[in-house]
Amino acid sequence: MITFNQFVFYLFSAIMVISALRMITVRNPVHAVLHLVLTFFTAAVLWVQLGAEFLGIVLVLVYVGAVMVLFLFVVMMLDINIARMREGFVRFLPVGLVVALIMLGEMLVVLTGRVFRLAPPPMPPAGYSNTEALAGVLYTGYVYPFEIAAFVLLVAIIAAIALTLRRRPGTLHQDPAEQIRVRARDRLRIVKMDAEKRS
Amino acid sequence: MDGFVSLWNMLPEGLQTLIWILVKIVVIVLPLILAVAYLTYAERKIIGYMQIRIGPNRVGPRGWLQPIADTVKAMFKEVVVPTHANRYLFLTAPLLAFAPALAAWAVVPFDEGLVLADINAGLLYILAMTSLGVYGVLIAGWASNSKYALLGSMRVAAQIVAYEIAMGFALVGVLMAAGSLNLSEIVHAQSGGPGQWFAWPLIGLFAVYFISGVAETNRAPFDVAEGESEIVAGFHVEYSGMAFAIFFLAEYANMILISVLTSIMFLGGWLSPFEGTLLESWFAWVPGIVWLGLKTAFFLLLYLWFRATFPRYRYDQIMRLGWKVLIPVTIVWIFGEGIAIALGWQPWLSGGA
């Protein structure tokens, strides 16, 4: 007899595995993105079930709510030739398999615990706040790495803007400052005219 | 009754929890849907009076049954799926818009202890759920196989991503002042009279939050996603009957949600506005949910008032307002708030204690 918790775990892991598989097998790129979204979402559900509510919700908030929306936005606007996308599948398969095997090996090294000796984490006491615990670690013990990571992200943002910023002559765009500065007398001239005589 | 109790005890514990949660969900969702129905009626009546007309008055006494007539009409209409539309996604999109609008209600506290899930990260959960609503609109636009629908959904995606940042930052200010992500504790942090409400020390964030809330729900004056004068009806141009009605429901449920959240974060939620005054004992019999309802109704009135008053924004001005006005305001405000908290600025920002 499986418990309610186990039932939820197996249900969502099954959805996650199937949607991850569909993500790489569907033809339509928009469908692939949507399957990736579903994978993220079910991963978040599993994290919440493990008691990592902060991480789970942030996964939904950041990846599903922001990153994937922009991703979908771009994919929808692209005019992708599906037949050409399919051509490389067999050619790139060996590379993909090698990457997958390396990742599997890494996970086994960490999880079987010969090298890292991971003890299962102790069960948190009742009323324990995941968010507070994370904040305590991030802003005390790891405050410098955290600040450095923030700085690296800032540099990345500025670099992305600098790379795409180019002056293109001849584009039509509005200058709001100029629009606000406009006064009626600059644009409009009221002319006095005598009424026309009825012929 | 005894038979019912013994039947209930026979069920396994997991099933009991499940049924109990489902019952609670129904208790929240049914009044919500009723509220949505009568919000549409209120909208037509109020905007009618603002424009010196009467509004709906044919169905039932003074038009009270109008929402029911509308629902029945929508149910009996045919749902047309356009040619070459992606049938499956086309029909899923309204549900994807509607589900997050309902799911967010799980953490909303209606009164002291009256909440479905009293979780610690309630504020984050709300942000996560409201950010999911955009998928319904995006998919609807893409699956319709129509250029107007696609244009509408592109507009929504850019607009919602922009205003979500301002919205999130406004909530950062609230959580700094309250010292908690739990919505019930945010309300408790504002107890002790209307002078203690976060609307006063955070008045800039309060304004930013409500403005981005209006933009986030695609309501006038930010309703360029539907812009009927430019792109027919935007993302839902191809939808008819019940499929359209579900988008409609989601939009109004989101409006009510934003209004409730604004009341909870900035106007003290279920707390009585007479706390700490002579009138407090006179109104002590009023349940907290009534105060919350009245505060929510005020913001809903603002929504309708905006719609009756303002012309639609131009799209580049929407982007300018979001990125260049609201986000800098929130950043400066949070910075100032941090200093105020560090200095222990009484009576509001005493370090979130």
Side-chain angles (χ1 to χ4, degrees):
Chain A
M1 183 67 201
I2 56 169
T3 63
F4 184 62
N5 250 339
Q6 280 172 325
F7 171 72
V8 171
F9 173 79
Y10 285 118
L11 179 70
F12 281 97
S13 344
I15 296 175
M16 186 174 159
V17 171
I18 293 169
S19 60
L21 278 177
R22 292 290 292 157
M23 189 232 138
I24 50 175
T25 51
V26 286
R27 284 163 176 270
N28 194 321
V30 172
H31 290 183
V33 172
L34 290 175
H35 277 111
L36 185 59
V37 169
L38 185 61
T39 316
F40 276 142
F41 194 80
T42 41
V45 171
L46 293 182
W47 286 3
V48 170
Q49 209 197 2
L50 285 172
E53 55 181 30
F54 182 81
L55 284 180
I57 293 174
V58 165
L59 181 69
V60 172
L61 181 60
V62 175
Y63 280 88
V64 179
V67 175
M68 293 316 288
V69 170
L70 294 178
F71 219 84
L72 197 59
F73 186 88
V74 172
V75 169
M76 277 181 184
M77 293 216 281
L78 294 178
D79 188 19
I80 297 175
N81 188 340
I82 297 170
R84 269 199 31 218
M85 293 249 311
R86 303 288 297 172
E87 270 175 11
F89 189 75
V90 179
R91 195 149 58 86
F92 293 125
L93 191 61
V95 185
L97 279 180
V98 169
V99 172
L101 279 177
I102 292 174
M103 282 176 74
L104 184 70
E106 281 174 353
M107 278 188 219
L108 284 177
V109 167
V110 173
L111 291 180
T112 49
R114 289 255 179 71
V115 190
F116 287 94
R117 290 176 195 282
L118 285 181
M123 275 310 279
Y128 145 96
S129 168
N130 200 261
T131 319
E132 273 183 38
L134 252 174
V137 174
L138 271 188
Y139 290 107
T140 55
Y142 292 90
V143 64
Y144 292 117
F146 183 67
E147 294 290 329
I148 291 170
F151 196 75
V152 170
L153 279 176
L154 180 67
V155 171
I157 293 172
I158 294 171
I161 294 171
L163 283 176
T164 50
L165 193 71
R166 51 199 164 125
R167 297 256 168 257
R168 274 173 297 188
T171 52
L172 298 171
H173 64 272
Q174 305 281 1
D175 183 354
E178 215 157 273
Q179 287 184 318
I180 292 165
R181 245 183 276 125
V182 163
R183 292 286 167 270
R185 62 172 179 281
D186 304 337
R187 298 271 176 95
L188 202 71
R189 194 160 53 95
I190 295 173
V191 186
K192 203 141 187 77
M193 273 181 80
D194 293 331
E196 288 286 316
K197 288 264 159 49
R198 189 174 293 193
S199 55
Chain B
M1 193 64 205
D2 279 345
F4 182 72
V5 171
S6 62
L7 193 70
W8 173 253
N9 289 331
M10 267 166 58
L11 294 172
E13 199 159 333
L15 204 60
Q16 276 187 359
T17 343
L18 192 68
I19 293 175
W20 190 226
I21 292 174
L22 284 179
V23 168
K24 283 184 185 167
I25 290 174
V26 170
V27 168
I28 292 177
V29 168
L30 277 188
L32 178 67
I33 293 195
L34 208 65
V36 167
Y38 277 89
L39 178 58
T40 63
Y41 173 73
E43 172 168 38
R44 295 164 76 176
K45 269 295 193 199
I46 289 170
I47 294 182
Y49 287 135
M50 283 177 179
Q51 297 168 345
I52 323 182
R53 18 180 211 101
I54 296 175
N57 68 341
R58 293 290 106 182
V59 192
R62 310 187 67 113
W64 286 340
L65 298 180
Q66 183 69 44
I68 299 178
D70 287 343
T71 319
V72 172
K73 175 188 155 210
M75 275 200 274
F76 284 104
K77 272 189 158 185
E78 183 188 358
V79 177
V80 183
V81 180
T83 42
H84 299 299
N86 194 310
R87 197 185 170 81
Y88 180 67
L89 283 180
F90 184 79
L91 296 177
T92 323
L95 299 179
L96 283 177
F98 191 43
L102 290 186
W105 286 88
V107 294
V108 172
F110 296 98
D111 200 343
E112 180 75 56
L114 198 63
V115 49
L116 176 62
D118 195 18
I119 58 172
N120 279 328
L123 202 61
L124 275 175
Y125 174 82
I126 292 269
L127 272 177
M129 282 302 133
T130 45
S131 69
L132 285 183
V134 65
Y135 277 102
V137 176
L138 261 180
I139 294 173
W142 183 78
S144 296
N145 188 33
S146 151
K147 54 175 169 281
Y148 296 116
L150 190 63
L151 279 173
S153 63
M154 291 295 147
R155 287 178 172 198
V156 179
Q159 180 184 332
I160 288 190
V161 168
Y163 280 84
E164 222 170 59
I165 300 170
M167 207 173 189
F169 275 149
L171 294 185
V172 167
V174 172
L175 98 89
M176 277 164 70
S180 172
L181 282 167
N182 184 311
L183 292 184
S184 302
E185 278 175 31
I186 289 174
V187 174
H188 281 303
Q190 303 175 61
S191 62
Q196 292 289 323
W197 292 351
F198 288 156
W200 310 118
L202 307 179
I203 192 158
L205 297 183
F206 175 38
V208 167
Y209 183 77
F210 193 63
I211 293 171
S212 358
V214 174
E216 193 96 330
T217 42
N218 295 319
R219 292 290 298 185
F222 304 109
D223 58 343
V224 287
E226 311 184 12
E228 50 278 85
S229 54
E230 307 143 21
I231 49 171
V232 200
F235 65 93
H236 58 58
V237 62
E238 304 290 349
Y239 283 85
S240 59
M242 230 26 220
F244 168 72
I246 291 174
F247 273 122
F248 203 71
L249 269 177
E251 179 178 330
Y252 281 78
N254 273 327
M255 275 167 69
I256 302 179
L257 180 72
I258 293 288
S259 306
V260 167
L261 289 177
T262 318
S263 322
I264 288 175
M265 313 280 186
F266 297 99
L267 291 188
W270 69 76
L271 297 172
S272 156
F274 299 115
E275 256 189 324
T277 64
L278 286 174
L279 291 170
E280 185 182 356
S281 52
W282 292 11
F283 286 95
W285 54 274
V286 180
I289 194 167
V290 172
W291 295 125
L292 183 62
L294 285 176
K295 289 166 186 172
T296 309
F298 169 70
F299 288 111
L300 287 173
L301 177 68
L302 281 188
Y303 261 107
L304 308 184
W305 200 350
F306 287 164
R307 181 163 174 207
T309 313
F310 295 127
R312 185 176 290 136
Y313 257 75
R314 211 172 62 198
Y315 196 74
D316 65 316
Q317 289 175 336
I318 289 187
M319 283 294 141
R320 200 171 94 86
L321 180 71
W323 287 106
K324 296 192 181 171
V325 179
L326 297 187
I327 293 177
V329 165
T330 54
I331 291 176
V332 171
W333 205 282
I334 289 174
F335 188 70
E337 197 190 342
I339 294 173
I341 288 177
L343 297 178
W345 192 38
Q346 298 292 344
W348 294 304
L349 306 170
S350 46

